[in-house]
Amino acid sequence: MNSGPATRNNPAAISAPTSANSAVATEATAIVNIASLVTNDPSLGDGTPLGLIQDAAVVIEGDQVVWVGETSKAPATDNRVDADGRAVIPGFVDSHSHLVFAGDRTAEFNARMSGQPYKAGGIRTTVAATRAASDEELSSNVARFMAEALRQGTTTFETKSGYGLTVEDEARALRIASTHTDEVTYLGAHIVSPDYADDPAGYVDLVTGEMLDACAPYARWVDVFCEKGAFDGDQARAILTAGKAKGLHPRVHANQLSFGPGVQLAVELDAASADHCTHLTDADVDALASGATVATLLPGAEFSTRAQWPDARRLIDAGVTVALSTDCNPGSSFTSSVPFCIALAVRDMGMTPDEALWSATAGGARALRRTDVGRLSPGARADLTVLSAPSHVHLAYRPGVPLVSEVWRRGTRVV
């Protein structure tokens, strides 16, 4: 993980107010006696990318962090919460998930674990179940998965459409998603709809025309699965360009199953993120290092498909900004646990515990082009996670253990 001055290619540095001496109103809440506080502000604490402060305190007023520093220097407040020697980290920022769906794909997973390869076509199973589900069922599922993730420390969620693949079903998926999060992505281009199996060009016309018109009011982002068996480079370019013309910013499912044009297309179109990034040429890595596009790695997918792990070490050493996310979906990564993904990244993708935590918090914020989340310094949104451990390193050191003891979102304890 890079350190040093803030640049667009430096994942360690986030522009933020960093004063530790701001005046604090008496209605504020101070969380004190924090063994180790991760601020993700390298101008604070030990000066590392994580900006670690030992024996720390955080002061919250309303929904914002207004002061951080050592407990002995914390200003007086009406409310005081004792962290009792536990670690505090920013809430996780899960910048890639697919939560609007019905049904599951247990049989597919079982077959894959018995030796069958993963293919993009399995998405069709979920499309059929999702189309048949009611609005209430779909909304209940999104709420359930987000609550599950919140209990594990995730406070910012992105989610996508992509399991409807008709104008009506894609629009309702985004409408439902938008009632649960502001980070909503139009993914009509997940696969070619089964209804257009013999007319892929006609489906691209639908995705860039009538479907886009219906979906754009509910979304912030446009995405495409640029992959063999889904959409090629020319089709992906047309879809992303049309989305941009409607005010949606690009993200790209890129280079997951094979080498291809997705990553370089993402950089060319200034996509916020290129997601998966498993099969990369040197030119792909160079493009990511020279642009503002974040490489979002999704180790849950490799775990669940027994596929090749992305080489995070190669990307970080090249100066690429890396995010970690769950890719929670019913087919290839049915996990909502960012701590699990951190443990996988450290064990199998060459990341250090510090890098993995940064990527799951500040990196995720970069992938959503957000500066208000993913950090705990003055001016940030008061989203924080308290661990039943003295250090964030325990997230990788004790995999599978439920270490999240408290979650605060927008300044209120919610777990």
PDB file of all heavy atoms in Angstrom, residues 34 51 54 60 116 156 171 180 192 201 208 216 219 221 253 266 308 321 361 368 372 388 413:
ATOM      1  N   ILE A  34     -10.032   3.457  23.303  1.00  0.00           N
ATOM      2  CA  ILE A  34      -9.898   2.602  22.123  1.00  0.00           C
ATOM      3  C   ILE A  34      -8.444   2.140  22.051  1.00  0.00           C
ATOM      4  O   ILE A  34      -7.532   2.957  22.018  1.00  0.00           O
ATOM      5  CB  ILE A  34     -10.263   3.376  20.849  1.00  0.00           C
ATOM      6  CG1 ILE A  34     -11.719   3.857  20.904  1.00  0.00           C
ATOM      7  CG2 ILE A  34     -10.012   2.541  19.605  1.00  0.00           C
ATOM      8  CD1 ILE A  34     -12.070   4.886  19.843  1.00  0.00           C
ATOM      9  N   GLY A  51      -3.180   5.591   9.491  1.00  0.00           N
ATOM     10  CA  GLY A  51      -3.290   6.665  10.475  1.00  0.00           C
ATOM     11  C   GLY A  51      -3.671   6.148  11.850  1.00  0.00           C
ATOM     12  O   GLY A  51      -4.593   6.657  12.492  1.00  0.00           O
ATOM     13  N   GLN A  54      -3.093   5.040  18.996  1.00  0.00           N
ATOM     14  CA  GLN A  54      -3.205   4.127  20.129  1.00  0.00           C
ATOM     15  C   GLN A  54      -3.848   4.848  21.315  1.00  0.00           C
ATOM     16  O   GLN A  54      -3.734   6.055  21.469  1.00  0.00           O
ATOM     17  CB  GLN A  54      -1.824   3.600  20.531  1.00  0.00           C
ATOM     18  CG  GLN A  54      -1.037   2.965  19.378  1.00  0.00           C
ATOM     19  CD  GLN A  54      -1.709   1.750  18.782  1.00  0.00           C
ATOM     20  OE1 GLN A  54      -2.367   0.982  19.479  1.00  0.00           O
ATOM     21  NE2 GLN A  54      -1.552   1.561  17.472  1.00  0.00           N
ATOM     22  N   ILE A  60     -18.103  12.206  18.294  1.00  0.00           N
ATOM     23  CA  ILE A  60     -19.146  12.263  17.277  1.00  0.00           C
ATOM     24  C   ILE A  60     -20.148  13.340  17.652  1.00  0.00           C
ATOM     25  O   ILE A  60     -20.578  13.432  18.815  1.00  0.00           O
ATOM     26  CB  ILE A  60     -19.879  10.907  17.176  1.00  0.00           C
ATOM     27  CG1 ILE A  60     -18.915   9.788  16.771  1.00  0.00           C
ATOM     28  CG2 ILE A  60     -21.057  10.987  16.213  1.00  0.00           C
ATOM     29  CD1 ILE A  60     -19.498   8.390  16.966  1.00  0.00           C
ATOM     30  N   GLN A 116     -17.655 -29.381 -11.699  1.00  0.00           N
ATOM     31  CA  GLN A 116     -18.103 -28.682 -12.897  1.00  0.00           C
ATOM     32  C   GLN A 116     -17.596 -27.239 -12.882  1.00  0.00           C
ATOM     33  O   GLN A 116     -17.596 -26.594 -11.832  1.00  0.00           O
ATOM     34  CB  GLN A 116     -19.631 -28.699 -12.984  1.00  0.00           C
ATOM     35  CG  GLN A 116     -20.219 -30.094 -13.142  1.00  0.00           C
ATOM     36  CD  GLN A 116     -21.731 -30.066 -13.280  1.00  0.00           C
ATOM     37  OE1 GLN A 116     -22.317 -29.038 -13.595  1.00  0.00           O
ATOM     38  NE2 GLN A 116     -22.361 -31.213 -13.029  1.00  0.00           N
ATOM     39  N   THR A 156     -21.758   0.996   4.390  1.00  0.00           N
ATOM     40  CA  THR A 156     -22.072   1.569   3.085  1.00  0.00           C
ATOM     41  C   THR A 156     -22.191   0.424   2.086  1.00  0.00           C
ATOM     42  O   THR A 156     -21.308  -0.429   2.001  1.00  0.00           O
ATOM     43  CB  THR A 156     -20.985   2.551   2.612  1.00  0.00           C
ATOM     44  OG1 THR A 156     -20.857   3.609   3.559  1.00  0.00           O
ATOM     45  CG2 THR A 156     -21.343   3.151   1.252  1.00  0.00           C
ATOM     46  N   ALA A 171     -36.216  -2.070 -14.105  1.00  0.00           N
ATOM     47  CA  ALA A 171     -36.639  -0.824 -13.463  1.00  0.00           C
ATOM     48  C   ALA A 171     -37.149  -1.084 -12.050  1.00  0.00           C
ATOM     49  O   ALA A 171     -36.842  -0.326 -11.121  1.00  0.00           O
ATOM     50  CB  ALA A 171     -37.710  -0.135 -14.299  1.00  0.00           C
ATOM     51  N   HIS A 180     -33.261   1.233  -0.343  1.00  0.00           N
ATOM     52  CA  HIS A 180     -32.366   0.690   0.677  1.00  0.00           C
ATOM     53  C   HIS A 180     -30.985   1.347   0.684  1.00  0.00           C
ATOM     54  O   HIS A 180     -30.294   1.305   1.709  1.00  0.00           O
ATOM     55  CB  HIS A 180     -32.198  -0.817   0.466  1.00  0.00           C
ATOM     56  CG  HIS A 180     -33.457  -1.604   0.642  1.00  0.00           C
ATOM     57  ND1 HIS A 180     -33.919  -2.009   1.880  1.00  0.00           N
ATOM     58  CD2 HIS A 180     -34.366  -2.043  -0.271  1.00  0.00           C
ATOM     59  CE1 HIS A 180     -35.050  -2.689   1.731  1.00  0.00           C
ATOM     60  NE2 HIS A 180     -35.343  -2.721   0.436  1.00  0.00           N
ATOM     61  N   VAL A 192     -26.867 -11.420 -21.912  1.00  0.00           N
ATOM     62  CA  VAL A 192     -27.924 -11.223 -22.895  1.00  0.00           C
ATOM     63  C   VAL A 192     -29.169 -11.943 -22.389  1.00  0.00           C
ATOM     64  O   VAL A 192     -29.112 -13.121 -22.017  1.00  0.00           O
ATOM     65  CB  VAL A 192     -27.501 -11.770 -24.273  1.00  0.00           C
ATOM     66  CG1 VAL A 192     -28.667 -11.716 -25.259  1.00  0.00           C
ATOM     67  CG2 VAL A 192     -26.314 -10.987 -24.808  1.00  0.00           C
ATOM     68  N   ALA A 201     -27.652  -8.275 -30.611  1.00  0.00           N
ATOM     69  CA  ALA A 201     -27.618  -6.860 -30.996  1.00  0.00           C
ATOM     70  C   ALA A 201     -28.924  -6.168 -30.618  1.00  0.00           C
ATOM     71  O   ALA A 201     -28.921  -5.004 -30.186  1.00  0.00           O
ATOM     72  CB  ALA A 201     -27.362  -6.726 -32.494  1.00  0.00           C
ATOM     73  N   THR A 208     -29.540  -0.045 -24.172  1.00  0.00           N
ATOM     74  CA  THR A 208     -29.087   1.332 -24.367  1.00  0.00           C
ATOM     75  C   THR A 208     -30.229   2.281 -24.722  1.00  0.00           C
ATOM     76  O   THR A 208     -30.005   3.486 -24.844  1.00  0.00           O
ATOM     77  CB  THR A 208     -28.032   1.399 -25.490  1.00  0.00           C
ATOM     78  OG1 THR A 208     -28.585   0.870 -26.698  1.00  0.00           O
ATOM     79  CG2 THR A 208     -26.794   0.604 -25.116  1.00  0.00           C
ATOM     80  N   ALA A 216     -32.612   4.744 -15.597  1.00  0.00           N
ATOM     81  CA  ALA A 216     -31.710   5.828 -15.205  1.00  0.00           C
ATOM     82  C   ALA A 216     -32.198   6.657 -14.022  1.00  0.00           C
ATOM     83  O   ALA A 216     -31.383   7.060 -13.179  1.00  0.00           O
ATOM     84  CB  ALA A 216     -31.427   6.729 -16.409  1.00  0.00           C
ATOM     85  N   ALA A 219     -30.862   5.115 -10.673  1.00  0.00           N
ATOM     86  CA  ALA A 219     -29.483   4.634 -10.544  1.00  0.00           C
ATOM     87  C   ALA A 219     -28.488   5.781 -10.519  1.00  0.00           C
ATOM     88  O   ALA A 219     -28.745   6.882 -11.016  1.00  0.00           O
ATOM     89  CB  ALA A 219     -29.144   3.683 -11.692  1.00  0.00           C
ATOM     90  N   TRP A 221     -25.092   4.575 -11.170  1.00  0.00           N
ATOM     91  CA  TRP A 221     -24.030   3.930 -11.934  1.00  0.00           C
ATOM     92  C   TRP A 221     -24.598   3.088 -13.064  1.00  0.00           C
ATOM     93  O   TRP A 221     -25.740   2.632 -12.999  1.00  0.00           O
ATOM     94  CB  TRP A 221     -23.201   3.018 -11.022  1.00  0.00           C
ATOM     95  CG  TRP A 221     -22.684   3.658  -9.784  1.00  0.00           C
ATOM     96  CD1 TRP A 221     -23.241   3.609  -8.533  1.00  0.00           C
ATOM     97  CD2 TRP A 221     -21.496   4.450  -9.660  1.00  0.00           C
ATOM     98  NE1 TRP A 221     -22.465   4.313  -7.645  1.00  0.00           N
ATOM     99  CE2 TRP A 221     -21.390   4.850  -8.302  1.00  0.00           C
ATOM    100  CE3 TRP A 221     -20.511   4.853 -10.558  1.00  0.00           C
ATOM    101  CZ2 TRP A 221     -20.344   5.628  -7.835  1.00  0.00           C
ATOM    102  CZ3 TRP A 221     -19.465   5.628 -10.086  1.00  0.00           C
ATOM    103  CH2 TRP A 221     -19.394   6.008  -8.740  1.00  0.00           C
ATOM    104  N   HIS A 253     -17.635  -4.944 -14.875  1.00  0.00           N
ATOM    105  CA  HIS A 253     -17.197  -6.298 -14.545  1.00  0.00           C
ATOM    106  C   HIS A 253     -16.128  -6.661 -15.575  1.00  0.00           C
ATOM    107  O   HIS A 253     -16.447  -6.876 -16.757  1.00  0.00           O
ATOM    108  CB  HIS A 253     -18.349  -7.288 -14.669  1.00  0.00           C
ATOM    109  CG  HIS A 253     -19.316  -7.289 -13.533  1.00  0.00           C
ATOM    110  ND1 HIS A 253     -20.052  -6.187 -13.179  1.00  0.00           N
ATOM    111  CD2 HIS A 253     -19.676  -8.293 -12.678  1.00  0.00           C
ATOM    112  CE1 HIS A 253     -20.833  -6.507 -12.154  1.00  0.00           C
ATOM    113  NE2 HIS A 253     -20.620  -7.773 -11.829  1.00  0.00           N
ATOM    114  N   ALA A 266     -12.491   0.219 -19.134  1.00  0.00           N
ATOM    115  CA  ALA A 266     -12.878   0.921 -17.905  1.00  0.00           C
ATOM    116  C   ALA A 266     -12.020   2.154 -17.685  1.00  0.00           C
ATOM    117  O   ALA A 266     -12.526   3.244 -17.371  1.00  0.00           O
ATOM    118  CB  ALA A 266     -12.766  -0.024 -16.712  1.00  0.00           C
ATOM    119  N   GLN A 308      -8.814 -19.000 -10.144  1.00  0.00           N
ATOM    120  CA  GLN A 308      -7.526 -18.358  -9.873  1.00  0.00           C
ATOM    121  C   GLN A 308      -7.732 -17.100  -9.037  1.00  0.00           C
ATOM    122  O   GLN A 308      -8.613 -16.299  -9.310  1.00  0.00           O
ATOM    123  CB  GLN A 308      -6.867 -17.997 -11.202  1.00  0.00           C
ATOM    124  CG  GLN A 308      -5.601 -17.171 -11.101  1.00  0.00           C
ATOM    125  CD  GLN A 308      -5.079 -16.769 -12.464  1.00  0.00           C
ATOM    126  OE1 GLN A 308      -5.171 -17.549 -13.423  1.00  0.00           O
ATOM    127  NE2 GLN A 308      -4.553 -15.567 -12.584  1.00  0.00           N
ATOM    128  N   THR A 321      -4.805   1.582  -7.162  1.00  0.00           N
ATOM    129  CA  THR A 321      -5.717   1.653  -6.024  1.00  0.00           C
ATOM    130  C   THR A 321      -6.583   0.400  -6.017  1.00  0.00           C
ATOM    131  O   THR A 321      -7.227   0.079  -7.020  1.00  0.00           O
ATOM    132  CB  THR A 321      -6.622   2.890  -6.111  1.00  0.00           C
ATOM    133  OG1 THR A 321      -5.812   4.058  -6.177  1.00  0.00           O
ATOM    134  CG2 THR A 321      -7.534   2.980  -4.903  1.00  0.00           C
ATOM    135  N   THR A 361     -12.227  -0.497   3.250  1.00  0.00           N
ATOM    136  CA  THR A 361     -12.832   0.706   3.827  1.00  0.00           C
ATOM    137  C   THR A 361     -12.570   1.901   2.902  1.00  0.00           C
ATOM    138  O   THR A 361     -13.409   2.261   2.088  1.00  0.00           O
ATOM    139  CB  THR A 361     -12.290   0.959   5.240  1.00  0.00           C
ATOM    140  OG1 THR A 361     -10.840   0.914   5.229  1.00  0.00           O
ATOM    141  CG2 THR A 361     -12.790  -0.094   6.219  1.00  0.00           C
ATOM    142  N   LEU A 368     -16.407   4.040  -5.004  1.00  0.00           N
ATOM    143  CA  LEU A 368     -17.691   4.732  -5.117  1.00  0.00           C
ATOM    144  C   LEU A 368     -17.513   6.240  -5.248  1.00  0.00           C
ATOM    145  O   LEU A 368     -18.481   6.993  -5.212  1.00  0.00           O
ATOM    146  CB  LEU A 368     -18.563   4.422  -3.894  1.00  0.00           C
ATOM    147  CG  LEU A 368     -18.993   2.965  -3.737  1.00  0.00           C
ATOM    148  CD1 LEU A 368     -19.744   2.769  -2.430  1.00  0.00           C
ATOM    149  CD2 LEU A 368     -19.852   2.516  -4.926  1.00  0.00           C
ATOM    150  N   ASP A 372     -16.699  10.894   2.094  1.00  0.00           N
ATOM    151  CA  ASP A 372     -17.318  11.033   3.412  1.00  0.00           C
ATOM    152  C   ASP A 372     -17.329   9.737   4.200  1.00  0.00           C
ATOM    153  O   ASP A 372     -17.622   9.745   5.401  1.00  0.00           O
ATOM    154  CB  ASP A 372     -18.745  11.563   3.275  1.00  0.00           C
ATOM    155  CG  ASP A 372     -19.640  10.643   2.447  1.00  0.00           C
ATOM    156  OD1 ASP A 372     -19.123   9.968   1.524  1.00  0.00           O
ATOM    157  OD2 ASP A 372     -20.864  10.595   2.708  1.00  0.00           O
ATOM    158  N   SER A 388     -14.140  -6.872  18.867  1.00  0.00           N
ATOM    159  CA  SER A 388     -13.804  -7.559  20.120  1.00  0.00           C
ATOM    160  C   SER A 388     -12.383  -8.088  20.020  1.00  0.00           C
ATOM    161  O   SER A 388     -12.117  -9.299  20.083  1.00  0.00           O
ATOM    162  CB  SER A 388     -14.790  -8.705  20.380  1.00  0.00           C
ATOM    163  OG  SER A 388     -16.077  -8.214  20.629  1.00  0.00           O
ATOM    164  N   ARG A 413     -25.541   4.143  17.289  1.00  0.00           N
ATOM    165  CA  ARG A 413     -25.224   2.727  17.391  1.00  0.00           C
ATOM    166  C   ARG A 413     -26.404   1.910  16.850  1.00  0.00           C
ATOM    167  O   ARG A 413     -27.543   2.058  17.309  1.00  0.00           O
ATOM    168  CB  ARG A 413     -24.930   2.340  18.835  1.00  0.00           C
ATOM    169  CG  ARG A 413     -24.547   0.865  18.957  1.00  0.00           C
ATOM    170  CD  ARG A 413     -24.192   0.432  20.357  1.00  0.00           C
ATOM    171  NE  ARG A 413     -23.982  -1.006  20.410  1.00  0.00           N
ATOM    172  CZ  ARG A 413     -23.700  -1.681  21.510  1.00  0.00           C
ATOM    173  NH1 ARG A 413     -23.583  -1.052  22.677  1.00  0.00           N
ATOM    174  NH2 ARG A 413     -23.534  -2.999  21.479  1.00  0.00           N
TER     175      ARG A 413
END
